[in-house]
Amino acid sequence: MIWRRRSEAEREPVPAERDPDKHPVLSNLAAIGKISTDVLVIGGGGAGCSAALHIAERGVRVTLLERGLVGSQASGVNYGGVRQQGRHPAELPIARRSRELWGRLREITGSDCEFVPSGHLKLARNAEEEAELVAYADVARQYDLPLRLIGRNAVHAEFPFLGPAVVAGSFAADDGHANPRLLAPALARAARKAGAAIVEHAEVVRLARDSDGFIAETANGLEVRAKSLVNTAGYWGGAIAEQFGEKVPIQVLAPNMIVTEPLPYVVKVNLGVVGGNVYLRQIARGNVIFGGGHGEADPVALRARPLPAITLEALPLAAEIVPMLRDALVIRSWTGMDGQMPDHIPVIGPSRTTPGLFHAFGFSGHGFQLGPAIGAILGELVLDGRSGTPIEAFDIGRFTLGKPP
Amino acid sequence: MPTDALCTANPHAAADLPPVIVGAGPAGVRAAEALLAAGLAPILIDEGAAAGGRIYQRQPPGFTRDAATLHGTEAGKATALHTAFDAIAARIDWRPGTLVWAVRPGELHLHRDGRAETLPFRDLILATGAMDRLIPLPGWTLPGVFSLGGAQIALKTQAVAIGRQVAFVGTGPLLWLLAHQYRKAGGGIAAVIDTTPSATKRRQILGLLTQPGMLARGLSYMLGLRRAGVRIVEGAMPEAILGEGRVQGLRWRDARGRVQESVCDAVAMGWHLRPEAQLAELAGVPFRFNPRQRNWEPDKDPTGRTAVPGVYLAGDGAGIEGADAAEIAGARAALSLLQDRGRAVDAGLLAALDRRAGAMLAFRHALDAAFPFPHALAAGIADDVMVCRCEAITAGELRAAVDPGGAMEINRAKAFSRLGMGRCQGRVCAPAAAEIIAARLGAPVEAVGRLRAQAPVKPLPAAARSTP
Ligand SMILES: Cc1cc2nc3c(=O)[nH]c(=O)nc-3n(C[C@H](O)[C@H](O)[C@H](O)COP(=O)(O)OP(=O)(O)OC[C@H]3O[C@@H](n4cnc5c(N)ncnc54)[C@H](O)[C@@H]3O)c2cc1C
Ligand SMILES: Cc1cc2nc3c(=O)[nH]c(=O)nc-3n(C[C@H](O)[C@H](O)[C@H](O)COP(=O)(O)OP(=O)(O)OC[C@H]3O[C@@H](n4cnc5c(N)ncnc54)[C@H](O)[C@@H]3O)c2cc1C
């Protein structure tokens, strides 16, 4: 059971002296090429790095293997929305828990990852969309997510940068945005400090299970034995689950992202719209980051590209809600790869085939906010056998056991 | 050579579409000419208003200086290229003022005057040229500091000098050429400071003699400047551009370590050029590190072919070889394209082009060695100097981003520090930043990689709308 191995030439060059095998922390590991540990985490996105941190903090030996650099996939290149508003109700308890961790990130990791609790304003551009805002406010109330509905006149008075197309808004004061490039590296640093081994440039290419537990082999010849296995491999988590007889209908999702040159800093909230065809935030430096539509991705070649035609479609949508964007210059577009499940919510929980295996992948385009709590939940699942946060809705069995459990 | 399917599977690979050339400099014009001569009228695109490229840039309408004044010793070549272009302009699909802002397999994305357009292609010749390579110095963001190329464009197209007393600093033929051009135009020169010692240049004399005409021209510029009493310093390192609110002087350290100052009101600086290769990258062409020039360049073979079928490269955009070599490479790439389309090409012409290109290579290698990039100067930029102008990131902030537990290559250093995330997307600061990172890590500069490009390759107005 082997993933496609990439040739040497396709890999990012690694400076010889920074070669992970020669990393001081791991020098003995390089010498023997084998380690045994309690918990092995595959995938160093927000979810995996947070899991390594939470497990290490409990004094348990944990090794995380990451194919590239931590946060080099979805967790490092996403839009940066830290949003609870608009989530599937089943996700709200996790999102609430994660929001609490976001508020303490500096204490937990030494970096606030530029998290700004700016509030998230979701906009309606017609009566139908406004009705959706009202309906969601009822859902949110049941999950203690405070939302404030704002009518047409008030929304323009409070947020004068909005264009006339906006007819109403729903404001989640608790939400915000952060710098995605910082989260996974900050969590990984904290995890290392707590005693976790975080090994980069270590792509797991072979996985097996015997009576002692799991054995993982990396493309560069490392062998890791562990009693428990955590699958936080993002889109590629689907392939790992399949190794253990749990094939899920996962697809690659590549949101198309755009950033402008700095503009006057006026959009001080994270903006979304009903339907999600455009979303937009501004950082204090002035750059406006926005997304809408999807790019293209080849998860085997590990390449994702924004699509110029989609970029051109997003421009008028963004200018419609924030007209000052009409005079902006776009300086970059990009995308990344997340795993998308058919029901748009992730797989989280124990494997249904393999004791000791736990999944958390397929966050369907909105797992950046969830990352910190996912790690906490995985830590509980692995070490205590259960989590206080309800996760039944995310059981992998909904795809593998024929019908919902 | 590995490429990936996202970039390279061209849906129009067999379509009957005209070849497309991006860049109407020496390489692009000669490519267009060769294609037209074979009966295949190309589409020729340039973001500039007129053909000619960087070196033979034409004056804006209304400026009427003659070719000799404008191009000096290169007037003959400039006129020849302009004449060649004028002769084909009506018979090709010439699209000036048009930026190619993105490439996908078989698809170019154009922008002109607020209108965005998609242009399908089967074959593409990228002749996108080069830009100045700079080293940030204390004070380099003061008004009055220009790149050598910028100073030259001011002189060539607008007939203005950048100051009354200009200090020229850097290395490479353009440094001397530009000082010569300023002197001829009657501009005041505070000093010419070449970071390369004269002994280094003399050592390459045999290689440089392979193009005796070029060598003679270069020497005559140097001699002319000396005769005119211009202060010339070789093997010196600039330390700082001085001044409050505007340039007032340049401080440098001579070869014997003595600190000196020149009074000036403008500085033109540059250390050779670097390829403008973002379109090649988006087209899926793999890159290689050129250790002689310390530049990354898209990989092509001597015929202009790349690992991506249907994508050809020519001119300085694929490695700095100069304007004469660019003309040859443009014609050569066109012949490769014709051959790949199954057309007969003149074997004699092909052999002649290859011979001339080969002959120029020895000269180019000698030139690279005669004017090396002073990478230690770049690597040693003081912590408080701003490296990335767009995002105001200092060398110290960049070093902090790579310190233990931090970034191990340049894209990650960018992610941590914001270096290269601004308007120019690192086109200006990347060479120096890579040297700073490499020195800090104790790694060879090629090991820290290069900044990845994304569309738009240059800023795109958000008001751009697709043409139906
Ligand atoms: C462009 C974009 C915009 C988004 N915007 C938002 C947003 O605004 N808000 C929000 O909440 N969410 C957003 N998301 C979604 C969010 O980024 C993801 O859901 C989340 O980051 C997923 O985290 P992860 O840890 O599961 O996956 P990843 O971050 O993809 O991490 C998985 C890791 O596993 C590694 N890996 C895979 N296979 C192997 C192997 N065999 N061996 C070793 N390592 C392996 C990968 O290299 C990768 O680093 C966006 C996603 C994208 C792509
Ligand atoms: C500022 C400057 C000054 C120079 N001065 C001299 C000199 O005095 N003497 C000398 O011998 N050499 C000089 N050189 C080097 C010389 O210009 C090159 O060797 C020569 O021009 C290479 O020709 P080329 O056709 O490869 O590229 P260029 O002449 O640079 O032509 C490239 C063309 O491509 C166009 N282009 C690039 N990207 C895009 C895009 N995305 N969309 C549309 N169009 C695009 C540009 O507008 C440009 O017109 C100079 C270079 C520079 C950068």
Side-chain angles (χ1 to χ4, degrees), chain A residues 170-231:
Chain A
S170 164
F171 190 66
D174 225 13
D175 285 343
H177 54 99
N179 182 341
R181 299 184 301 277
L182 304 181
L183 180 70
L187 288 166
R189 257 193 311 276
R192 272 200 177 112
K193 254 196 200 145
I198 310 282
V199 191
E200 297 179 310
H201 300 291
E203 177 183 17
V204 174
V205 291
R206 198 184 298 272
L207 267 174
R209 198 193 140 81
D210 62 17
S211 52
D212 291 341
F214 298 88
I215 310 157
E217 242 176 74
T218 70
N220 47 358
L222 194 66
E223 192 186 291
V224 181
R225 282 190 155 273
K227 293 188 204 75
S228 308
L229 180 65
V230 173
N231 171 16

Side-chain angles (χ1 to χ4, degrees), chain A residues 15 17-18 69-70 181 185 261 283 285 287 296 303 305-308 315 325-326 328-333, chain B residues 4 6-7 104 282 390-391 408 412 414-415 418 421 423 425 441-443 452 454-456 459-460 462-463:
Chain A
E17 52 277 51
R18 290 296 184 110
L69 299 173
V70 294
R181 299 184 301 277
E261 65 178 344
I283 58 171
R285 231 195 115 58
N287 307 72
E296 56 183 344
R303 290 296 292 270
R305 278 280 164 87
L307 283 172
L315 297 176
L325 281 175
R326 254 181 233 133
L329 286 172
V330 170
I331 57 176
R332 196 171 176 90
S333 61
Chain B
D4 71 77
L6 261 195
C7 302
R104 290 195 61 239
L282 296 187
C390 303
E391 292 292 325
M408 300 179 290
R412 179 91 356 172
K414 164 185 166 174
R418 291 192 68 79
M421 293 186 65
R423 187 182 172 121
Q425 290 290 298
L441 293 174
R452 287 185 287 267
Q454 289 280 18
L460 174 74

Side-chain angles (χ1 to χ4, degrees), chain A residues 11-73:
Chain A
R11 293 174 185 284
E12 283 175 18
V14 188
E17 52 277 51
R18 290 296 184 110
D19 191 310
D21 298 342
K22 296 180 186 122
H23 190 286
V25 178
L26 299 165
S27 48
N28 61 334
L29 177 158
I32 45 175
K34 286 183 187 192
I35 45 177
S36 83
T37 185
D38 296 323
V39 185
L40 170 62
V41 179
I42 301 179
C49 292
S50 174
L53 170 62
H54 281 91
I55 293 165
E57 275 182 338
R58 300 266 300 263
V60 174
R61 292 183 309 160
V62 52
T63 295
L64 182 150
L65 299 179
E66 164 54 47
R67 177 179 52 207
L69 299 173
V70 294
S72 52
Q73 297 297 337

